[in-house]
Amino acid sequence: MPLTAMTSAEVRERLGELPGWELRADKLAREFRFPDFNAAFAFMTRCALRAEQLDHHPEWCNVYNRVKVELTTHDAGGITDRDFMLAAAMQDYAAVSAGS
Ligand code: H2B
C-alpha cells in the first residue's frame, strides 16, 4: 500500500498522544535531555535498533546529553503513521534512559 502523508490537521490531532513533541517545518520534532552522554547514547542505541526493525530512520543530532529528533517519511514527502510509531517508541526508551 502506498504511503500517504498526513495533513497538518491530522498530525496536530495525533500529537496529543505524544507529550513534548511538536510539528515543526513539516516534521515531528522533540528534544530529549538525559543526565549525561552515557544515558543519551543508550537512548540512541535503543532507538537505532528499533528504527532498523521498522525500516524507518530518524533525523537526529546529539550534543553531550541532548538529542534533537526530527521525524518525517521521506518516501511519502511528509509525516505518516510510521513517524508516530517511531516517536512512541522513543518516548518509551527515553523513560527507560531517564530522559525528559
Ligand atoms: N526512513 C524514513 N524516515 N523515511 C523513509 O522514507 C525511509 C526511511 N525509507 N528508512 C526507507 C528507509 C527506505 O529508503 C528503504 C529502502 O526501505
Side-chain angles (χ1 to χ4, degrees), residues 33-91:
R33 275 176 194 266
F34 298 89
D36 53 24
F37 176 76
N38 195 45
F41 204 80
F43 165 76
M44 294 179 79
T45 302
R46 291 183 174 102
C47 291
L49 294 173
R50 186 66 185 136
E52 192 60 12
Q53 283 177 340
L54 294 171
D55 191 29
H56 196 67
H57 302 87
E59 299 174 19
W60 56 7
C61 171
N62 163 238
V63 178
Y64 182 53
N65 65 333
R66 288 179 288 127
V67 182
K68 286 185 190 175
V69 180
E70 292 183 341
L71 301 180
T72 184
T73 303
H74 305 111
D75 296 339
I79 296 170
T80 67
D81 193 53
R82 290 186 190 177
D83 297 300
F84 279 90
M85 284 174 62
L86 186 54
M90 287 181 156
Q91 293 290 102

